[in-house]
Amino acid sequence: MHGLDLFTQISLVVVLGAVIATIMRLLKQPLIIGHIITGILAGPTLFNFIHDEKGFEFLSTFGVALLLFIVGLELSTKIITRLSKVVFVTTATQISMVTVAGTIAARLLHFGRLESVIIGLCLAMSSTIIIVTLLHDKRETMRLYAQIAIGVLLLQDIVATLGKILLSAKAEGGSPFTLSLLVGRGILVIVLLYVISKYALPKVMKFLQSSKELLFVFSLGWALGIATLFTKIGFSVEVGALFAGVSMAGLPASHEMSSRLRPLRDFFVIIFLVTLGHTLVPSQLKGLLVPALIFSVVVFIIKPLVTLITLGVLGYTKRASFKTAVALGQISEFSLVFVVACVHGNFARPEVQAVIGLTALITFAGSAYLMKYDDELFTLLEKHLRLFERKVTKLEQKGSLQTYSVVLFGYRKGGAEFIRTFRAMKKRFVVVDYDPDAVELIERQHVNFLYGDATDVELIEELNLDKSKLVVSTISDFATNEFLASWLKVNNPSAVFVASADTAYHAAHLYSEGAAYVMMPHFIGSEKISTFIKRTGFKKSEFNKFREKHLQYLETHYSEEPA
């Protein structure tokens, strides 16, 4: 396998990864584990596919940057402000307590004093890549526990970055002035980002939203550009990419940017996980299994306990506390970077790097299973978790994407009438539209809205459309309405779906797909159907009567598809 170019190496790894991922899916196991196994198999232990390690690490960095940028896009400044106290307290408590527990465990295993502190710090950090990837797979990134976990990860990443810089300064004989200068530069860049995102980006986005391709290229350039800027002033790619996303969070196009970048992100994250697996060579880990298992116990038991107690004291429900604790139950990719820097600076022996690498593999794998089955685990342990819950708790609630009883797709053709109707009925609703001019009009009315494509599966799933009672589409595009009708037919058959159509043939087809009523310009307008909704509410039986009358009309006047 020697002499292979980077393209061939990546191709072989991707093919092997596809085979392993298929096997993992058949076995109903987390795909993350499959990707790490792929890296181990592609390494020198078996197939020896990977020779250009720097090339793979370079591609991995892209995955990390895109992942953190997308996370930032889904974090609004309001959420960050609201959760600032719990994030700060949880992070400070967890880092201090777990570092102490890890240091004691390492000393009992006869590691040196400084090595023990390094191990303790490595165990205290949690993995942004693993947690965020699993949260996206579960489609729970907007849940309260997920927001707390992501906030803790952000603060941990900043702490880890500062720790790495302090370590480098000590190794090079630097002074505290270096750290002060770094903090000053960081604050300056963050303030600059805030000003740009508040006053310049909204105007720029109005122009960019006219083209999907332009929006994609701009968002990618913004993510990588800001991440690079942060690296140049001394921070990490992760911190830079996350702040790049946060600076654009809340803009009408943020969800669309996130949706378009996800396929690219998924590929590079897979490369990251494969590269991580490649670094774990079984032959180098002999004699380190027992220490790694002991450190894993600290991560799986002590770290979650610290999180449970902290969130319980702060007044969060036992469910929110438990799911947050489970999510943070692994060590970080930063831990691997940190321990490598320690070894290079002669602060620790290579054995410390090896044992942290093995602990990472164990905790990554265990965390994937724990997060996958966290709801089942909570049900099993619920009665024992009352100890960690105060009598008065903060109710768990979702973030910006909540459950809406009414969802309106499209605004231009009759949407304003529906908005007036839903407001008069005092129903919780949201408007989804892709037209930037329409979004601007909606925003002026102070209406909940999302900028996105009605055929985006992730968007409608995050909207919890399977729980909506009424779904209205004023979009005249037949393919879009057919998609929505088919999706609702399978996932929410009890919902009332009111669609739009330009031809009798399309209307009849939408009825066959389960639409409760199809609006046609020459038969009934949005104003009349809005009046009907006011009078009957969401009773599907009433719509069925209306539906039969419309079908009779269609059969009488239009019997064939137009040429």
Side-chain angles (χ1 to χ4, degrees):
M1 290 293 179
H2 288 285
L4 296 177
D5 57 72
L6 181 59
F7 177 81
T8 304
Q9 293 175 46
I10 294 173
S11 299
L12 291 173
V13 168
V14 170
V15 170
L16 177 62
V19 173
I20 299 299
T22 302
I23 294 172
M24 297 299 286
R25 178 62 70 190
L26 291 173
L27 297 175
K28 297 182 178 180
Q29 303 303 310
L31 292 184
I32 284 179
I33 307 304
H35 300 326
I36 296 175
I37 292 173
T38 299
I40 296 174
L41 296 178
T45 305
L46 189 60
F47 296 114
N48 198 22
F49 288 157
I50 300 176
H51 301 287
D52 191 349
E53 295 182 2
K54 289 186 177 180
F56 273 81
E57 290 175 2
F58 174 74
L59 294 174
S60 300
T61 304
F62 272 95
V64 173
L66 289 174
L67 180 67
L68 271 296
F69 176 67
I70 291 173
V71 171
L73 285 174
E74 297 176 353
L75 285 174
S76 71
T77 52
K78 291 181 180 179
I79 293 174
I80 294 173
T81 303
R82 177 168 58 88
L83 297 176
S84 58
K85 178 183 176 182
V86 62
V87 166
F88 179 80
V89 173
T90 303
T91 304
T93 306
Q94 187 187 84
I95 289 178
S96 58
M97 297 299 291
V98 177
T99 298
V100 170
T103 301
I104 293 172
R107 288 294 288 157
L108 292 174
L109 291 168
H110 307 295
F111 285 93
R113 289 184 179 179
L114 182 56
E115 289 179 338
S116 297
V117 174
I118 291 169
I119 291 172
L121 286 170
C122 289
L123 299 183
M125 303 296 168
S126 299
S127 172
T128 304
I129 298 294
I130 299 299
I131 294 173
V132 174
T133 301
L134 290 170
L135 287 174
H136 272 290
D137 289 344
K138 290 163 66 69
R139 296 185 179 88
E140 292 186 354
T141 54
M142 299 310 297
R143 295 288 296 275
L144 175 62
Y145 87 90
Q147 296 292 311
I148 295 173
I150 292 171
V152 170
L153 291 171
L154 171 60
L155 198 52
Q156 283 186 353
D157 286 350
I158 294 173
V159 171
T161 300
L162 295 176
K164 188 171 179 290
I165 292 169
L166 278 173
L167 192 68
S168 300
K170 184 177 180 180
E172 298 171 6
S175 65
F177 176 74
T178 306
L179 181 60
S180 301
L181 190 62
L182 170 71
V183 173
R185 288 197 298 257
I187 293 174
L188 181 63
V189 171
I190 291 171
V191 171
L192 181 62
L193 275 178
Y194 173 77
V195 173
I196 293 173
S197 65
K198 186 173 180 63
Y199 298 104
L201 280 180
K203 297 177 181 178
V204 173
M205 297 309 295
K206 289 179 182 178
F207 170 73
L208 297 174
Q209 288 170 13
S210 60
S211 170
K212 295 182 180 181
E213 289 76 17
L214 185 59
L215 185 64
F216 170 78
V217 173
F218 179 83
S219 59
L220 186 60
W222 181 264
L224 299 181
I226 298 301
T228 301
L229 176 61
F230 268 77
T231 60
K232 295 303 180 183
I233 65 173
F235 286 91
S236 67
V237 169
E238 289 86 347
V239 172
L242 191 58
F243 274 106
V246 170
S247 68
M248 303 187 83
L251 294 175
S254 61
H255 193 281
E256 179 64 21
M257 288 187 288
S258 173
S259 177
R260 290 196 162 273
L261 287 172
R262 279 171 185 154
L264 194 62
R265 171 210 67 187
D266 291 343
F267 171 74
F268 286 113
V269 167
I270 289 172
I271 296 295
F272 168 82
L273 294 169
V274 169
T275 304
L276 174 62
H278 173 258
T279 63
L280 302 173
V281 182
S283 60
Q284 298 177 358
L285 303 177
K286 293 180 180 178
L288 299 177
L289 181 59
V290 172
L293 288 173
I294 292 174
F295 296 147
S296 298
V297 169
V298 173
V299 175
F300 285 141
I301 296 179
I302 295 179
K303 185 187 282 190
L305 280 175
V306 171
T307 305
L308 275 170
I309 294 170
T310 304
L311 293 178
V313 170
L314 291 173
Y316 287 84
T317 64
K318 56 181 179 291
R319 177 181 289 275
S321 302
F322 178 78
K323 288 174 76 75
T324 306
V326 169
L328 296 172
Q330 72 290 120
I331 69 171
S332 173
E333 60 276 355
F334 257 133
S335 301
L336 303 174
V337 175
F338 182 71
V339 75
V340 167
C342 290
V343 172
H344 288 169
N346 295 318
F347 298 112
R349 294 168 294 160
E351 288 83 356
V352 175
Q353 179 182 341
V355 76
I356 291 298
L358 183 55
T359 305
L361 177 60
I362 295 170
T363 56
F364 285 178
S367 179
Y369 288 107
L370 290 172
M371 286 188 68
K372 182 178 180 179
Y373 300 107
D374 57 359
D375 288 319
E376 290 82 355
L377 284 170
F378 175 77
T379 301
L380 184 66
L381 301 172
E382 183 175 7
K383 63 180 180 180
H384 302 294
L385 296 173
R386 294 172 185 169
L387 177 66
F388 304 102
E389 185 180 55
R390 289 169 58 180
K391 291 182 179 180
V392 179
T393 62
K394 301 176 188 289
L395 295 177
E396 182 175 11
Q397 50 189 301
K398 296 199 174 185
S400 58
L401 293 185
Q402 301 185 17
T403 299
Y404 297 91
S405 59
V406 181
V407 178
L408 173 63
F409 289 99
Y411 175 80
R412 282 291 189 186
K413 298 180 179 180
E417 177 62 34
F418 281 112
I419 288 175
R420 285 192 291 270
T421 298
F422 302 149
R423 276 179 164 169
M425 297 174 69
K426 297 182 179 180
K427 297 295 182 181
R428 180 172 178 77
F429 69 95
V430 65
V431 183
V432 181
D433 204 305
Y434 191 79
D435 183 350
D437 294 329
V439 167
E440 185 176 354
L441 292 173
I442 298 166
E443 191 173 11
R444 288 177 185 173
Q445 298 185 54
H446 303 289
V447 171
N448 291 323
F449 71 92
L450 283 172
Y451 176 83
D453 191 340
T455 60
D456 182 351
V457 176
E458 290 198 9
L459 170 64
I460 63 176
E461 288 181 347
E462 289 182 9
L463 271 171
N464 292 317
L465 205 66
D466 58 331
K467 295 181 176 63
S468 297
K469 295 180 180 179
L470 173 66
V471 179
V472 179
S473 172
T474 63
I475 301 169
S476 58
D477 179 62
F478 171 67
T480 299
N481 288 315
E482 183 184 34
F483 169 79
L484 289 171
S486 300
W487 193 93
L488 289 167
K489 186 178 182 179
V490 174
N491 297 280
N492 190 3
S494 63
V496 173
F497 178 45
V498 177
S500 303
D502 291 329
T503 68
Y505 176 81
H506 288 163
H509 185 79
L510 290 172
Y511 276 130
S512 69
E513 287 297 314
Y517 194 82
V518 181
M519 297 180 291
M520 295 180 67
H522 54 278
F523 184 78
I524 188 168
S526 60
E527 185 174 350
K528 290 185 178 180
I529 193 66
S530 294
T531 302
F532 180 75
I533 291 172
K534 284 181 183 178
R535 188 174 70 249
T536 63
F538 304 153
K539 295 179 181 178
K540 199 162 186 177
S541 58
E542 296 298 322
F543 276 89
N544 287 337
K545 295 176 184 177
F546 220 2
R547 178 177 185 269
E548 292 302 321
K549 290 180 181 179
H550 197 187
L551 280 171
Q552 290 175 11
Y553 172 85
L554 295 174
E555 290 171 0
T556 302
H557 293 80
Y558 308 94
S559 58
E560 296 181 359
E561 180 183 6

